[in-house]
Amino acid sequence: MRVLVLGGGGREHALVWKLRQSPRVTDLFACPGNAGIAQMAETVQLSLDDPNALAQFAIENRIDLTFAGPEAPLVAGVGDMFGARLLHLFGPGKAQARLEGSKVYAKKLMRELGIPTAEFEVFADATKAIEYARAANRPLVVKADGLAAGKGVIVCDGPAEAEDAIRQIMVDQAFGAAGKEIVIEERLEGEEATLMFFLDGRTSAPMLPSQDHKRRDEGDAGPNTGGMGCYAPVPAVPEALVAEVQQGVVAPILEALDLRGIPYKGVLYVGLMLTREGYRVLEFNVRFGDPEAQTVLPLLESDLVDVATTVIDGGLYRLKPRWSSQKALTVVLASGGYPGSYETGKVIEGLEDAAKVPGVVVFHAGTAERDGQIVTAGGRVLNVTAVGETHAEAAKRAYEAVSKIHFEGMYYRRDIGWRVISKEQA
Ligand code: AMP
Ligand code: GLY
């Protein structure tokens, strides 16, 4: 099979790495890829914003199966563009991708289907939104409706902060058209967890739960980032809760979209907050999480091509993905300054030694090749994943590998998995 992966971050490197293990894959392409992906796949430089050109490439290169890593091409309709040309793409169409592309749509659908989520109101008018925030007088979260590169959610302590957030999104248009409408919701308290599912239009199959560390600094402090590390599975999300979310969230979504003639096929990412009153859905994503994929895919025992083709054929009722009983943990190595501004082009050393540590695989995120050397090219540079019999063992291996890697300004958290490891040791 000739397989194409869209994207060029750590998630896509994990996809390419997993696909390389499939005996069904003969040729592997990635667009645009990165320095790590380039060691495993042929990289192609096309714009991910141009679904037409991507489909044309797939036709000309006789691609049998395409994986969409990031959300933007899916929200822009790459799924429909491929589908219309009878190309197999693993991922939902544009109408389904609104679950991620529009927070207003996702929240209204959750309300309609009785899915547990934070209480909310939708506003298209800044003055009304500000009045509401003042009257609410409690901690709120203000969310731009559309895609905002992960920055469109502002968690506020009080009405003054909420007012600032509303102005920033609606008046100053910090996220452009993505902020024409906003969702204002109650601020929830609790531990967050990620639960991803494979959906084949009618049936779903859960992946292992995972938890990423979104804050930059140790002890879960400092600014929000795209994720500084991750571990799986998550004891705070036992099998009974997975089943509850599958029944209470994924099943109604599957049914509702199927009835509307837009059956959902691909990955559905359910972002959960575990509150004292039970779970609440924070968000949906229509793709694998990043860095969750880098943590969870190494625990998938099934062939990813088998899973993807089964999803596309609507056959999940007969093939259930198999998971390892091991634990996995990912440490993100970032450029100094991230998530603020940072320098790039720093030479990365020690990658080969790191990969020799048992149970370790190093996924590239923001890397590039320059004059035969691998250099930094982004905020999150590398994802060091390790598997082990326990989370503590996975962490020990991952950090041993991290100790072998060096680039100027390298920053990482030393406490990834602290919650689960302290529980394990208790
Ligand atoms: P979202 O993209 O909607 O998941 O929001 C991004 C992040 O903002 C989440 O991972 C949470 O950390 C935080 N967040 C979102 N909604 C809420 C909420 N209702 N209460 C507290 N934190 C939230
Ligand atoms: N790790 C969060 C995301 O992929 O959206």
Side-chain angles (χ1 to χ4, degrees), residues 191-220:
E191 200 175 319
E192 282 182 55
T194 297
L195 199 47
M196 300 183 282
F197 293 82
F198 294 108
L199 274 65
D200 74 352
R202 293 255 163 92
T203 310
S204 67
M207 301 188 214
L208 292 176
S210 53
Q211 186 172 59
D212 81 352
H213 295 259
K214 292 198 166 125
R215 303 289 208 94
R216 187 191 60 194
D217 302 328
E218 280 155 30
D220 292 322

Side-chain angles (χ1 to χ4, degrees), residues 146-214:
L147 294 185
K151 299 196 173 72
V153 172
I154 304 175
V155 179
C156 309
D157 284 324
E161 245 183 275
E163 205 173 311
D164 270 353
I166 295 164
R167 283 187 209 284
Q168 210 182 317
I169 299 175
M170 303 192 88
V171 183
D172 307 339
Q173 301 182 0
F175 311 113
K180 274 186 72 166
E181 278 192 298
I182 58 168
V183 172
I184 301 185
E185 61 183 45
E186 62 170 328
R187 178 169 164 184
L188 301 169
E189 299 285 346
E191 200 175 319
E192 282 182 55
T194 297
L195 199 47
M196 300 183 282
F197 293 82
F198 294 108
L199 274 65
D200 74 352
R202 293 255 163 92
T203 310
S204 67
M207 301 188 214
L208 292 176
S210 53
Q211 186 172 59
D212 81 352
H213 295 259
K214 292 198 166 125

Side-chain angles (χ1 to χ4, degrees), residues 28 90 132 224 242 262 276 296 299 349:
L28 198 46
F90 177 72
Y132 172 85
N224 246 314
V242 174
I262 47 168
R276 263 186 288 185
V296 168
L299 297 175
E349 283 161 353

